[in-house]
Amino acid sequence: PELNFELEVSKIFDGLGRTHEFKKSITNKFDALLIKGKKILKDKAEIKEQTQKLENNFEKLLEVFSKINFESNERISSDILTDLLNSITDLSEEIYHYYIAEEAKIQKEKNDHRYYHKYGYELSSIREFQSALYDFKDLLSSDICELANNPFLVLDGEAGIGKSHMLGDIISKRIQNNYESVFLLGQHFVSDEGPWIQILKKIQLNITSEIFLKTLNERAKESEKRIIIFIDAINEGRGKYFWLDNVKSFIDEIKKYEYLGLVLSIRSSYKNLIFPKDEVVSLNIIEHKIYGFRNNEYEASKLFFNNYDIQLPNVPLLHPEFQNPLFLKLFCEGIHKSGQTKIPDGIQGITSIINFFIKNVNEILSKPNKFDYSNGINLVDRSISSIIQFKIDNDLRYVSYEKAIELIEDTISKFVTKKGTFLDNLISEGIFSKNLFWKGNNEYEEGIYLAYERFEDHLLC
């Protein structure tokens, strides 16, 4: 929680949940629109017709808006609002062009085109109003409002980009504000059975999916607050094997219940496998991609660096890795645990941080409750080296998941007797990433690679 950097994208969940924050955000924009709109209603004979029509439209707009219950489950019909807003846009343009034309006459008379001589305030007020108008129209057509009417979301993003953290944060806030959720993890779907069979087993309910969903819906209806079902990382576990054949019927079944919503998160490289592009339209779901800290690198780095008592650099961190929350966290942990308080200079400095991170993961995996080996033997470093060497020898971008297991098991077998997949632990600790790679002819394979290119660059050095 102390490293929670709230992204703008998180606001889409307010619309999806029809929360009080959703009502507040849309009402604030609407209020700003009306306040700025009143400033352009000047009593001027030449534009009296336009200003009267504009004032009438403002009154109609307020009347329509006031009848919408943004926190209820009723569909928000934006057609009338949109028609009024389009009419208001046209009228404001007419008024704007009148003042521009009047200013042009004065500028010509004075032979001075450097600034507005008479109607500068009016033109500035119209531009401010139009900015508020476009903001409000953008909100009405955004995913936030789309999800208010159709609460079915597929959220995708790359590894470590913050999908799971965001969902955990959203659900925690929903709990604090008395909104209920069902939260499931893709890693818990461990068989090829249908999703409802596995879900009901996991939550230990000996009932049908119909009874389960009907009960949830009645509970939500009684409280007048949507209940959202969240399933994080549906590509994990056995998800890539059974979701393709089950996702449509799964979504359609939940859609029968008006007070329920659904959020599915997935790693981007697996999305086309489970949600083929030609079938997404028929699913009638909203798709949204998250990009981590992109365009917010400085603010996010400042939060993380302050938390770890690390001195901020004099220049912004422009490396693409710093858009990735997991990398930023591991980077700061490496500096902090090595006893340093600022980013070391040069390649050797960064390499020391990477080496410390690898050593730290090795200590974790060597513990008795993990693989129980001497931490003096750096099996993590040896595993990394075996993968890099294989990539170099075979000129590969990645190593297939099966081949990687074979390479790493050969590397560690002399030192480890406990059962378990060492590679999966290296993935969960952030050393490697696992993704889906398309081979062509509608074939794909799972492959692994070092989580961050900068790791590989320095390890090769």
Side-chain angles (χ1 to χ4, degrees):
E2 69 277 4
L3 286 176
N4 185 46
F5 184 85
E6 190 165 320
L7 297 170
E8 188 71 17
V9 66
S10 65
K11 292 180 181 176
I12 65 174
F13 294 96
D14 290 328
L16 189 144
R18 296 291 283 264
T19 65
H20 179 69
E21 284 302 313
F22 170 62
K23 178 184 177 180
K24 184 179 175 183
S25 65
I26 203 165
T27 301
N28 286 345
K29 284 192 182 293
F30 184 75
D31 288 347
L33 173 69
L34 290 186
I35 290 167
K36 291 176 181 178
K38 294 290 175 67
K39 291 181 179 179
I40 68 174
L41 296 176
K42 296 287 183 180
D43 186 16
K44 195 166 182 61
E46 293 85 347
I47 52 171
K48 188 171 184 178
E49 181 184 352
Q50 287 88 345
T51 53
Q52 282 184 340
K53 285 181 179 178
L54 199 56
E55 190 168 15
N56 290 337
N57 278 336
F58 284 152
E59 290 174 2
K60 290 178 185 176
L61 192 67
L62 180 58
E63 183 183 351
V64 172
F65 186 85
S66 299
K67 290 178 180 177
I68 300 172
N69 187 344
F70 290 99
E71 290 184 89
S72 78
N73 205 48
E74 295 173 13
R75 181 173 182 81
I76 300 169
S77 179
S78 60
D79 294 345
I80 299 175
L81 283 175
T82 302
D83 289 343
L84 285 168
L85 291 168
N86 288 338
S87 176
I88 288 169
T89 302
D90 293 340
L91 289 166
S92 69
E93 282 292 328
E94 289 180 33
I95 295 171
Y96 180 78
H97 288 303
Y98 164 76
Y99 284 122
I100 283 288
E102 290 300 302
E103 273 294 340
K105 292 176 187 176
I106 298 168
Q107 289 172 341
K108 187 175 181 180
E109 288 173 10
K110 294 181 177 288
N111 195 27
D112 186 352
H113 298 266
R114 290 174 299 175
Y115 52 86
Y116 296 132
H117 294 269
K118 186 175 181 180
Y119 296 110
Y121 174 79
E122 287 81 357
L123 288 166
S124 176
S125 295
I126 294 171
R127 282 194 292 268
E128 284 185 16
F129 167 69
Q130 288 178 332
S131 177
L133 182 62
Y134 296 137
D135 275 353
F136 188 70
K137 289 170 79 172
D138 285 346
L139 178 58
L140 285 181
S141 62
S142 71
D143 283 349
I144 298 174
C145 287
E146 287 282 332
L147 286 163
N149 286 332
N150 181 22
F152 291 82
L153 170 68
V154 173
L155 186 74
D156 76 288
E158 301 300 334
I161 213 70
K163 301 182 295 298
S164 297
H165 179 94
M166 177 183 287
L167 293 188
D169 183 51
I170 294 299
I171 292 162
S172 295
K173 288 178 179 174
R174 284 176 59 81
I175 291 169
Q176 291 165 14
N177 293 304
N178 297 315
Y179 294 95
E180 295 185 319
S181 313
V182 177
F183 188 32
L184 302 158
L185 304 179
Q187 68 198 60
H188 292 150
F189 290 77
V190 294
S191 74
D192 292 347
E193 295 174 295
W196 282 120
I197 294 173
Q198 297 192 64
I199 289 170
L200 294 168
K201 279 182 180 178
K202 184 66 185 173
I203 57 181
Q204 299 178 11
L205 287 177
N206 188 23
I207 56 175
T208 64
S209 58
E210 183 181 2
I211 293 173
F212 176 65
L213 292 173
K214 185 177 180 181
T215 305
L216 282 183
N217 191 64
E218 288 300 319
R219 184 180 178 91
K221 188 175 182 179
E222 187 178 335
S223 67
E224 297 185 335
K225 292 179 179 178
R226 272 183 189 161
I227 291 177
I228 310 298
I229 299 169
F230 293 83
I231 308 181
D232 182 37
I234 64 171
N235 52 279
E236 292 187 2
R238 298 287 294 175
K240 55 188 171 292
Y241 299 106
F242 70 80
W243 273 116
L244 176 61
D245 296 328
N246 289 280
V247 72
K248 188 176 189 309
S249 60
F250 184 79
I251 292 171
D252 287 344
E253 186 170 4
I254 298 174
K255 282 190 174 184
K256 294 175 185 176
Y257 301 91
E258 58 178 341
Y259 278 87
L260 302 184
L262 175 68
V263 176
L264 303 172
S265 81
I266 186 168
R267 190 172 296 181
S268 295
S269 58
Y270 289 84
K271 189 180 173 191
N272 286 340
L273 174 66
I274 296 174
F275 300 97
K277 289 181 181 178
D278 55 348
E279 293 184 17
V280 166
V281 175
S282 66
L283 290 172
N284 191 23
I285 52 177
I286 311 297
E287 302 172 85
H288 204 99
K289 189 179 182 72
I290 65 169
Y291 297 93
F293 295 149
R294 192 168 77 177
N295 300 325
N296 294 286
E297 292 93 338
Y298 175 76
E299 293 83 0
S301 298
K302 185 177 179 181
L303 172 68
F304 276 65
F305 279 39
N306 287 341
N307 183 74
Y308 286 97
D309 295 321
I310 299 169
Q311 182 181 321
L312 276 168
N314 294 324
V315 293
L317 297 164
L318 299 178
H319 299 308
E321 290 93 345
F322 287 95
Q323 297 171 8
N324 188 296
L326 181 58
F327 177 84
L328 186 54
K329 179 174 180 285
L330 298 175
F331 184 84
C332 290
E333 282 182 352
I335 295 174
H336 181 72
K337 289 179 180 178
S338 64
Q340 301 179 74
T341 57
K342 65 177 183 178
I343 299 176
D345 296 326
I347 289 175
Q348 292 305 314
I350 300 296
T351 302
S352 68
I353 293 170
I354 293 169
N355 288 337
F356 185 87
F357 167 65
I358 291 169
K359 183 182 177 183
N360 187 52
V361 173
N362 189 66
E363 286 182 7
I364 293 170
L365 298 188
S366 69
K367 294 184 182 300
N369 64 329
K370 287 289 187 176
F371 289 90
D372 194 18
Y373 60 90
S374 170
N375 62 15
I377 306 168
N378 196 331
L379 294 186
V380 174
D381 187 65
R382 294 189 186 198
S383 297
I384 293 170
S385 297
S386 68
I387 295 296
I388 292 177
Q389 193 61 56
F390 187 80
K391 283 181 69 177
I392 293 170
D393 292 345
N394 295 277
D395 192 24
L396 299 172
R397 289 187 301 118
Y398 66 91
V399 177
S400 74
Y401 179 63
E402 290 184 11
K403 185 62 181 178
I405 291 175
E406 181 186 319
L407 290 168
I408 289 174
E409 290 303 316
D410 285 347
T411 301
I412 70 167
S413 58
K414 294 178 183 178
F415 310 99
V416 173
T417 57
K418 273 197 172 184
K419 290 184 178 180
T421 307
F422 201 75
L423 174 58
D424 286 345
N425 281 267
L426 294 176
I427 292 169
S428 66
E429 293 293 337
I431 295 288
F432 291 110
S433 280
K434 181 171 71 169
N435 258 324
L436 200 65
F437 295 89
W438 295 93
K439 297 167 64 177
N441 298 321
N442 291 322
E443 290 186 10
Y444 67 91
E445 69 175 346
E446 285 189 302
I448 66 107
Y449 54 94
L450 277 165
Y452 307 104
E453 289 182 8
R454 212 156 303 279
F455 276 31
E456 188 154 356
D457 293 343
H458 291 298
L459 287 165
L460 285 171
C461 291

